[in-house]
Amino acid sequence: MMIGVGVGSGDRLALGVLTQYRMATTEQMHWVIAPEVRIEQTRRRLARLRAEGLVNRITLPQAGRTRVWFPTPYGVQLASEWPEMRGHRPSRTVSDPTAVRLKAGHTLTVTETALAFLEDARRRGELCRPLDWLTEVHHPIGSGEAVIPDALLYYKRGSQDGDNGAMLRAFVEVDRATMGPERLAAKLPAYERLHRYIPTLPGRRRPTIGQEPALEDWRRHYPLFPRLLFVLDGTGPAGVETRITALHAAAGKLAPSRFLNDVPVLAASLADLLHHGPSAPIWRPAHDPGQRVDWKSPSGP
C-alpha cells in the first residue's frame, strides 16, 4: 500500500520529507510540500523547524549560494516515531553538515528526480504523495550483500478519486556518471539476484513433497517485483548512450532470465525527464534500447 500521510500540519510533512529524502534545497522543499503557496511561507516554515532544532542547513558555495536543508538527529528520532514513517526511514540518514556537503550533488539530484514524478502526477490527476518516495530501502540478497536503490517509488495510475487505477512500484537508480558504465551495469545482475533470492533461515529444512516451497524474499514486501528505472545524468547525449549500451550488454548476459521477462528495466536521461516529464515515451528498455516507452507500460522482451 501507499503510505498514509495523515499529516496534521505542514511542519510535520516538511520534517517527514526531509527525514525520508535526506536533503533538499529550499526551492525543492517548496515544490514538494506546498507548491500552491508563496515560497516565503516555506522559508518561514523551515526557519521555524530550524529554531526548534529539528532541521539544519548548509549553504553551498557554488550555484548562487544555495541553501540545503537536512534533518537533525533529534528531527529524525521524532519523525521516525510517527505511524506514517515507521519502517521507512532511510538506511543512512545524513545529519552531519560535512557529510551533507559531500553527498549533496547526488542526493539533490535524487530529490530533483522525485520532484519530476510528483509534479507529473499532479498534472495528470494521478496519485503520488510526497512520502511515496522512499530513499535507500535495504534489500538483502544473501552472503551479507544487499541491493539499496536510490529510491523506491509508489505511484497509483488513474484518477485519484477512483480505485480502478493500477498501483505501480519502481526501484529508481540515479547515476551522475561518477562511476564507469561497467559499474553501473553491474547493478542489473544484483537486482536479478534480488528477484530470485530466497533467504535460508536457521533450522529450516528443504521442503518435502506436498509442502509449500519457500518464497523469494521480495514477495514479503511487494505483490509484484517493482520495475527498475535508471535515470542518467552528468554527461551529454554521448555519455548517456554509452551507459545505455552497457545496460543492454548486461541484460544480454542475463538472458534467458525470468527477471527480464517479469520486470521492465528502463533507462532515461534526467534532461529528458525534466523537459518532457516521466510519463512521456522517453524510457529505453534495457533489452531493446531502440524502443522508447512510457515507464508505466509493460515492457518485457
Side-chain angles (χ1 to χ4, degrees):
M1 288 186 61
M2 299 176 90
I3 303 160
V5 177
V7 173
S9 73
D11 289 359
R12 180 174 171 126
L13 177 59
L15 180 57
V17 165
L18 277 181
T19 299
Q20 205 153 279
Y21 290 39
R22 299 191 298 153
M23 67 183 80
T25 67
T26 306
E27 289 73 20
Q28 287 175 334
M29 284 296 293
H30 176 65
W31 288 107
V32 169
I33 67 172
E36 71 284 353
V37 305
R38 293 172 61 85
I39 194 169
E40 286 76 14
Q41 293 188 38
T42 300
R43 290 194 180 104
R44 286 197 296 269
R45 187 182 304 285
L46 291 168
R48 184 164 59 248
L49 292 172
R50 186 182 184 218
E52 293 170 349
L54 297 169
V55 307
N56 204 348
R57 73 181 189 213
I58 63 168
T59 301
L60 297 180
Q62 67 275 25
R65 296 186 61 78
T66 300
R67 285 180 173 175
V68 178
W69 298 86
F70 57 96
T72 64
Y74 172 50
V76 171
Q77 178 185 352
L78 180 64
S80 298
E81 295 170 356
W82 299 339
E84 67 269 23
M85 296 289 292
R86 195 165 296 131
H88 296 288
R89 184 166 60 85
S91 58
R92 296 190 297 270
T93 304
V94 178
S95 296
D96 174 75
T98 301
V100 169
R101 186 173 288 106
L102 293 174
K103 293 177 178 287
H106 178 76
T107 307
L108 292 178
T109 304
V110 174
T111 300
E112 192 70 13
T113 303
L115 188 52
F117 283 96
L118 287 170
E119 290 183 331
D120 192 54
R122 289 167 182 161
R123 283 193 303 267
R124 301 173 66 84
E126 298 185 316
L127 191 57
C128 183
R129 305 182 188 94
L131 295 185
D132 289 327
W133 179 268
L134 285 65
T135 58
E136 297 196 342
V137 180
H138 186 275
H139 296 81
I141 56 176
S143 304
E145 297 180 70
V147 168
I148 306 175
D150 287 320
L152 166 64
L153 168 67
Y154 287 84
Y155 190 107
K156 188 173 183 183
R157 189 170 52 199
S159 171
Q160 295 186 23
D161 301 322
D163 58 359
N164 56 345
M167 173 63 68
L168 302 176
R169 299 162 190 80
F171 293 130
V172 183
E173 290 282 355
V174 177
D175 176 62
R176 300 176 60 242
T178 54
M179 64 177 75
E182 295 78 14
R183 283 187 60 196
L184 171 68
K187 292 177 181 262
L188 209 50
Y191 278 98
E192 193 272 339
R193 281 180 62 189
L194 174 61
H195 185 253
R196 58 183 167 82
Y197 170 60
I198 299 174
T200 302
L201 300 178
R204 175 188 281 179
R205 297 181 179 179
R206 296 176 66 88
T208 59
I209 296 175
Q211 279 187 321
E212 288 291 324
L215 294 177
E216 295 88 350
D217 191 55
W218 64 264
R219 296 184 188 276
R220 297 190 301 118
H221 309 285
Y222 316 110
L224 293 173
F225 195 90
R227 52 200 65 202
L228 177 54
L229 307 179
F230 287 92
V231 176
L232 308 176
D233 189 32
T235 63
V240 169
E241 288 300 323
T242 298
R243 285 177 282 167
I244 288 177
T245 298
L247 288 171
H248 179 53
K253 291 177 183 177
L254 291 179
S257 167
R258 245 184 65 222
F259 173 69
L260 291 176
N261 283 315
D262 294 350
V263 181
V265 180
L266 309 171
S269 73
L270 180 63
D272 282 344
L273 193 73
L274 298 179
H275 184 71
H276 301 288
S279 292
I282 59 172
W283 299 91
R284 315 264 297 274
H287 69 276
D288 183 7
Q291 291 189 60
R292 290 183 180 268
V293 300
D294 176 349
W295 78 273
K296 290 176 275 188
S297 302
S299 180

